[in-house]
Amino acid sequence: MLPDPQRFLAVAGRRIARAEGAAQAVRELYRVTVPDLADGMFVYLGDHPPDGSEPERLELDGAPAELGGAMGGSPPRSRPVAPDGALAALLRCGRARGRGSDDVDDALRELLGTAPRLPQGNRVLLAPLRAPDAVVGVAVFLRRPDREDFVDDDIALADALSAQTALGVREDALAAAPPAAPKAPDEDRLRYVGAATRRIARGFDTDEIVLGLCRAAVPTYSDAALVYLRDPLPVGDERPNGPAVLRLRRTDRLKGPGAELVWPVETVDDEQDDLDASDWSEVVPGGALAEVLRGVRPVFADTPPTRDALGELVGADSALNDWVGSHAILAPLRGRRRVTGAVVFLRRPERPAFEPADLLVAAQLATHTALGVDKAVLYSREAFIADRLQRAMLPQTLPRPTGVRLASRYLPAAETARVGGDWYDAIPLPGSRVALVVGDVMGHSMTSAAVMGQLRTTALTLAGLDLPPQEVLHHLDEQAQRLGTDRMATCLYIVYDPVSHRITVANAGHPPPILLHPGGKAEVLTVPPGAPIGVGGIDFEAVELDAPTGATLLLYTDGLVESRLRDVWTGIEQLREKLAATAQLTGPDRPPPLEALCDEVLDMLGPGDRDDDIALLAARFDGIAPSDVAYWTLEPEVGAPGRARRLTRQALAGWGLEDLSDTAELLVSEIVTNAVRHASRPISLRLLRTDVLRCEVGDDVPQLPRLRQAKATDEHGRGLYLVHRLARRWGTTRLGTGKIVWFELGGPGG
């Protein structure tokens, strides 16, 4: 099966439509068919009886030389058509058929004789070249034995291409006929079909495809068009549950003088497109509408069953039921697996009625529309699933680390929900630090999203090891190469320390961050650009910069600053100016609210600026004042726990936190006691006062302690249990030189 049948049919149809004469139409059919749809094909053209009946003899219109060797013999040059034979029956059927039934095999024997060696299975198609008023020949499509069978989608394509070729062959014959013969229609149907199908194929979603059909049909082909689609539309191979319901998706009609002669007065308002038709219709099994839809081909509303079918669709009381006969065409919309809707074409009574050739035009419009709707539904479902998958791989909530406030935004590209590889993260680190990460995997696909998820997971793991930023990027680069993908990624990794009020920045080909200073000045930080992740063999550099209290750091992906209308550096300068202008609104003494700042940044996007995904991470640096930090070094000796208790008591008394002193002393003593038991180097003790009291004890032992339930006879093992029971939160972090055990007291829930 072709990956995009609708686009293939649109391109192939245009080439056949531009052909001049029967010979060129057949040559174009061969060129568009081989090798995409078939590995070989040849065409028999027939004589053209004046009454439009089946031809009495078929003549081979050329066959490639290599085809004879592949078939074990060349096809016969000329074959008679027996009126009561299997070949004549297949020509009357008018639809492409594959091998697998006796009547098709019999028709092949009548056409080709017994000499040719044909592929087994459903790798041979017989497709009648049927114009609206006559059968002009038959096409044979062949596939190699090592290729898959023709499937329903392939047969539908062969049908459509054969019908298009038949129209060209028939009009060529009519043009060459004596003057007494009927003239070809004034309207060039082939060129119209080519232009109309191109317009439909440009649609990206269901609404655009339906709109393309209506705009192509009205007023050139019809004076009105009503499009009904199944609700809900089936996806892929899933079988719909319950009765089939067709819902009116769109109506278009010719407006202006004379419209009131056709349409009811209440529908003449030029500001609305609605026709006097029912909004929905249930397809009753065995009913007239169900039978027309099952027939697949467009029909005139010129018989009682088809008039009843039209009434079921538009409503029994609709005034549209008065325009029947050959002024109304009901065309089923058949997708790859099933009928997905119907379209009604109407012409005013004073306009010439539809001709038999217009049924073929309606079939082409309906086929392209149905295939387009199928593609749009599948793409929409895949894009929805991929977008959900991508969002699931992004952080659902941001942490609340000490000394910094965070806000984020993520926007998919404007052209539907294209899947990309943008991501952001904020990762708490030991010592109340936080890692800020933003990255962008190049490309838009499920692969990009999958690579993004793997790189983000790797970054989380590396951050947990508390590696320097440049080392994190180095390991990400190695991981990208181990993944074996050609997708590169840019990444910015920043570590903020609220105690030292500094940031450490390492960059891998990502746009630089922008720092909004407390006074309102916006600065594009100068950081080493680096090479993207995945290039390999690159040494990344890190720089340390000041992070003043009250400053805001903005990290972003290139979708925010680069588009078709501007280059990346122009976009970065516009972003810097936008941040500075936003800061002026609140004055130099008050930074703009973080969430509002993110919204203002996104407001700078114009209509052409949503070509790519956008990830945005903003960090407001509150820092921790030196007066709120207490730090000591303790020797790993027996008296260390007692000294730790005294130092903790003194610090809390100075901060006015005597109510936390007893609990803090007990827990600090337990953790320091455990450290003294195993450490060989000095132990660190740090207290941080923010909205909570945070205590951190560090030693040189990399093994992390585990919470366990001590037995009644155990002398040790109760320290972490006390921490777990009495602390608001607690945890452990492994460092390159050991570990840190920390806990928090006070604050909400403390």
Side-chain angles (χ1 to χ4, degrees):
M1 186 180 69
L2 297 175
D4 194 343
Q6 186 198 22
R7 185 170 298 279
F8 170 79
L9 188 56
V11 174
R14 288 198 301 270
R15 291 185 59 174
I16 297 175
R18 288 196 295 263
E20 297 180 0
Q24 187 176 351
V26 172
R27 284 197 299 272
E28 289 298 333
L29 175 63
Y30 177 83
R31 289 169 181 165
V32 301
T33 299
V34 179
D36 294 330
L37 180 61
D39 297 309
M41 64 88 56
F42 52 93
V43 172
Y44 281 89
L45 296 181
D47 47 16
H48 307 291
D51 58 357
S53 59
E54 288 77 19
E56 298 176 356
R57 177 168 291 277
L58 296 173
E59 301 289 338
L60 182 65
D61 193 76
E66 67 272 11
L67 198 60
M71 294 176 56
S74 299
R77 303 295 305 176
S78 176
R79 299 296 290 181
V81 180
D84 55 350
L87 181 58
L90 185 137
L91 296 180
R92 286 192 294 269
C93 170
R95 298 192 60 189
R97 300 280 298 279
R99 296 193 71 180
S101 58
D102 293 340
D103 55 345
V104 175
D105 289 340
D106 291 342
L108 282 169
R109 279 192 291 270
E110 289 185 27
L111 181 64
L112 305 177
T114 58
R117 181 177 65 250
L118 297 176
Q120 296 299 313
N122 198 17
R123 297 184 182 89
V124 182
L125 287 183
L126 269 179
L129 302 182
R130 187 176 185 87
D133 59 342
V135 176
V136 299
V138 63
V140 181
F141 300 88
L142 302 168
R143 280 185 175 175
R144 299 187 308 267
D146 58 341
R147 191 171 175 180
E148 68 277 3
D149 289 351
F150 289 107
V151 296
D152 292 343
D153 290 350
D154 301 323
I155 297 175
L157 289 174
D159 252 338
L161 296 177
S162 300
Q164 192 102 342
T165 306
L167 188 57
V169 172
R170 184 59 173 163
E171 291 198 351
D172 183 49
L174 292 174
K183 294 183 179 179
D186 294 334
E187 184 180 16
D188 186 349
R189 290 187 179 88
L190 280 174
R191 296 189 181 278
Y192 166 72
V193 169
T197 53
R198 285 197 301 273
R199 188 166 196 168
I200 296 170
R202 283 197 297 265
F204 203 75
D205 58 23
T206 302
D207 289 334
E208 290 179 352
I209 291 167
V210 172
L211 175 62
L213 169 64
C214 292
R215 291 291 184 258
V218 179
T220 306
Y221 179 69
S222 65
D223 296 316
L226 299 87
V227 183
Y228 285 81
L229 295 180
R230 291 192 67 153
D231 188 16
L233 281 165
V235 180
D237 294 328
E238 70 180 21
R239 300 188 65 84
N241 296 322
V245 175
L246 300 184
R247 194 167 298 277
L248 186 61
R249 193 65 176 248
R250 184 176 181 87
T251 65
D252 266 24
R253 62 186 174 86
L254 180 64
K255 303 175 184 178
E260 65 275 4
L261 300 177
V262 181
W263 316 122
V265 176
E266 61 269 19
T267 67
V268 177
D269 184 3
D270 285 348
E271 295 184 358
Q272 55 112 359
D273 290 332
D274 293 336
L275 294 169
D276 182 24
S278 173
D279 288 336
W280 66 278
S281 174
E282 181 176 339
V283 182
V284 180
L289 179 58
E291 289 301 311
V292 170
L293 297 180
R294 195 162 63 91
V296 175
R297 293 186 176 278
V299 294
F300 292 130
D302 58 352
T303 63
T306 55
R307 286 197 294 268
D308 292 343
L310 181 63
E312 287 185 30
L313 187 63
V314 301
D317 299 330
S318 172
L320 300 180
N321 289 302
D322 296 336
W323 286 273
V324 292
S326 54
H327 280 79
I329 290 179
L330 178 55
L333 299 177
R334 181 171 183 81
R336 295 180 176 86
R337 295 288 183 268
R338 60 185 65 85
V339 172
T340 57
V343 56
V344 180
F345 299 106
L346 300 169
R347 282 185 179 175
R348 295 177 300 190
E350 66 270 21
R351 184 174 175 179
F354 290 109
E355 301 176 2
D358 291 319
L359 289 177
L360 182 59
V361 174
Q364 290 288 313
L365 298 179
T367 297
H368 282 272
T369 302
L371 290 174
V373 168
D374 265 2
K375 181 187 71 173
V377 171
L378 285 172
Y379 182 85
S380 177
R381 173 66 64 89
E382 291 174 359
F384 173 79
I385 293 173
D387 183 63
R388 284 296 182 91
L389 173 63
Q390 183 179 15
R391 290 181 181 274
M393 291 189 290
L394 293 173
Q396 302 303 303
T397 59
L398 290 173
R400 297 182 177 180
T402 302
V404 61
R405 285 172 285 167
L406 302 171
S408 64
R409 295 290 187 274
Y410 170 77
L411 293 178
E415 187 179 340
T416 73
R418 294 194 304 173
V419 185
D422 292 20
W423 92 90
Y424 62 89
D425 227 326
I427 310 165
L429 299 177
S432 299
R433 295 169 300 142
V434 60
L436 307 174
V437 190
V438 66
D440 183 4
V441 177
M442 299 178 185
H444 294 88
S445 66
M446 289 290 288
T447 302
S448 299
V451 173
M452 178 270 284
Q454 292 172 307
L455 292 180
R456 178 177 177 248
T457 302
T458 303
L460 285 167
T461 304
L462 295 171
L465 300 176
D466 198 25
L467 298 177
Q470 65 272 24
E471 288 297 319
V472 171
L473 295 185
H474 174 73
H475 289 294
L476 281 176
D477 181 59
E478 290 183 336
Q479 176 66 10
Q481 295 178 68
R482 282 194 294 267
L483 291 176
T485 177
D486 57 354
R487 302 298 174 107
M488 294 188 293
T490 63
C491 183
L492 194 64
Y493 191 93
I494 299 175
V495 174
Y496 170 62
D497 188 339
V499 177
S500 66
H501 301 270
R502 303 274 289 177
I503 56 174
T504 304
V505 185
N507 189 14
H510 201 80
I514 299 178
L515 185 67
L516 180 62
H517 291 268
K521 174 187 175 183
E523 175 190 4
V524 179
L525 296 183
T526 302
V527 297
I533 291 170
V535 172
I538 302 297
D539 289 331
F540 298 98
E541 300 180 46
V543 294
E544 284 195 24
L545 303 170
D546 289 330
T549 301
T552 303
L553 187 68
L554 195 71
L555 289 74
Y556 52 91
T557 54
D558 59 1
L560 181 64
V561 294
E562 185 179 24
S563 71
R564 292 168 295 175
L565 307 179
R566 62 186 177 188
D567 62 77
V568 62
W569 288 107
T570 300
I572 291 175
E573 179 59 23
Q574 292 178 358
L575 175 59
R576 188 196 65 78
E577 294 174 353
K578 179 69 174 180
L579 287 174
T582 303
Q584 295 301 319
L585 298 177
T586 57
D589 299 329
R590 182 186 175 195
L594 206 56
E595 296 290 342
L597 180 65
C598 291
D599 293 335
E600 285 292 325
V601 166
L602 295 181
D603 283 345
M604 69 176 281
L605 296 171
D609 292 343
R610 291 287 303 283
D611 302 323
D612 198 357
D613 296 359
I614 297 172
L616 179 68
L617 179 63
R620 174 73 44 78
F621 299 141
D622 294 330
I624 300 176
S627 59
D628 292 328
V629 180
Y631 181 85
W632 304 277
T633 299
L634 307 174
E635 292 296 328
E637 56 190 17
V638 177
R643 183 165 180 251
R645 288 194 298 270
R646 289 192 301 273
L647 295 172
T648 300
R649 186 186 312 114
Q650 293 171 4
L652 296 187
W655 289 337
L657 300 177
E658 291 88 349
D659 56 327
L660 299 178
S661 183
D662 291 342
T663 304
E665 288 181 50
L666 173 62
L667 301 187
V668 165
S669 178
E670 291 294 337
I671 296 175
V672 171
T673 299
N674 288 340
V676 168
R677 184 175 296 115
H678 303 288
S680 59
R681 295 180 181 178
I683 300 166
S684 65
L685 171 61
R686 187 167 73 166
L687 305 181
L688 302 174
R689 181 184 65 165
T690 56
D691 55 337
V692 298
L693 174 66
R694 182 181 177 98
C695 305
E696 301 173 349
V697 177
D699 59 50
D700 63 341
V701 181
Q703 288 78 18
L704 301 181
R706 303 296 181 188
L707 180 65
R708 65 184 182 88
Q709 187 72 38
K711 298 179 182 178
T713 57
D714 289 344
E715 296 182 3
H716 307 288
R718 296 177 178 83
L720 279 185
Y721 179 75
L722 289 173
V723 174
H724 178 72
R725 295 289 296 178
L726 299 178
R728 177 176 177 266
R729 291 195 311 156
W730 75 279
T732 60
T733 304
R734 181 179 283 114
L735 304 177
T737 57
K739 69 174 180 295
I740 285 180
V741 181
W742 59 268
F743 66 86
E744 293 177 353
L745 296 175

